[in-house]
């Protein structure tokens, strides 16, 4: 992984074969002091795709019962990664295609780059956000 910052606050993250996508984005946030920002574009290929998604309209009280976890191997073409960084922590979603099916969901740790990845992060100076759980234990963005 290597990252580059422009004069106007954009950070480009280059992901190389074997890099972990989310972990590399988190590292770039630390290295470039990104507290609040937006991942505005992301593309690449994964050999391991690890996501979760909510598959119901009624949320059970137990967080573990809310999500479907997928860990998929193969050649996954990533068509988009985007989301918000609040308090230095990315909350990102991904869409990927393996030639037969398209899947999408919350980007989890362990997504390994197959060929390459490129991510653009936009710092949002003057805005300080964090996530706080609401009454249903859903993390909501709030001002800090």
């Amino acid at each position: 992984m290597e990252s580059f910052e422009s004069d106007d606050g954009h950070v480009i993250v280059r992901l190389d074969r074997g890099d972990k996508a989310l972990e590399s984005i988190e590292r770039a946030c630390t290295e470039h002091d990104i507290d609040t920002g937006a991942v505005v574009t992301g593309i690449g290929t994964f050999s391991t795709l690890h996501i979760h998604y909510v598959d119901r309209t009624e949320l059970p009280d137990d967080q573990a019962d809310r999500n479907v976890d997928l860990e998929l191997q193969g050649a996954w073409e990533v068509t988009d990664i985007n989301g918000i960084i609040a308090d230095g922590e990315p909350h990102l979603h991904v869409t990927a295609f393996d030639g037969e099916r398209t899947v999408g969901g919350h980007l989890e740790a362990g997504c390994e780059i197959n060929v390459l990845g490129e991510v653009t992060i936009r710092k949002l100076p003057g805005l300080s956000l964090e996530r706080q759980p609401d009454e249903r234990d859903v993390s909501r963005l709030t001002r800090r």
Side-chain angles (χ1 to χ4, degrees):
M1 183 280 276
E2 190 170 357
S3 56
F4 316 90
E5 186 169 350
S6 70
D7 292 340
D8 69 349
H10 285 84
V11 174
I12 305 295
V13 182
R14 187 195 75 220
L15 303 167
D16 301 315
R17 184 175 180 87
D19 286 342
K20 302 288 197 275
L22 181 59
E23 294 87 334
S24 295
I25 294 166
E26 290 170 336
R27 187 172 123 207
C29 288
T30 299
E31 289 177 359
H32 294 276
D33 197 28
I34 302 171
D35 178 72
T36 301
V39 172
V40 295
T41 182
I43 56 95
T45 61
F46 290 162
S47 58
T48 301
L49 176 63
H50 187 199
I51 62 172
H52 82 260
Y53 64 92
V54 176
D55 71 339
R56 59 196 73 224
T57 56
E58 296 298 321
L59 292 181
D61 289 335
D62 187 353
Q63 285 264 357
D65 294 334
R66 295 181 183 184
N67 301 318
V68 173
D69 291 300
L70 295 177
E71 188 164 341
L72 305 167
Q73 305 297 315
W76 289 92
E77 186 71 23
V78 175
T79 59
D80 192 33
I81 300 172
N82 62 62
I84 301 294
I85 299 162
D87 198 17
E89 296 184 27
H91 176 184
L92 306 177
H93 285 233
V94 62
T95 306
F97 177 68
D98 75 348
E100 294 181 21
R101 67 180 176 161
T102 301
V103 297
H106 182 101
L107 184 69
E108 293 288 348
C111 293
E112 187 171 322
I113 298 298
N114 183 26
V115 177
L116 65 82
E118 298 171 346
V119 176
T120 304
I121 303 170
R122 173 72 173 124
K123 289 184 180 183
L124 299 172
L127 181 61
S128 185
L129 299 176
E130 65 182 356
R131 290 186 179 81
Q132 293 290 327
D134 67 9
E135 65 280 351
R136 297 181 308 158
D137 201 25
V138 174
S139 293
R140 301 284 182 199
L141 283 174
T142 59
R143 279 192 183 271
R144 225 181 353 178

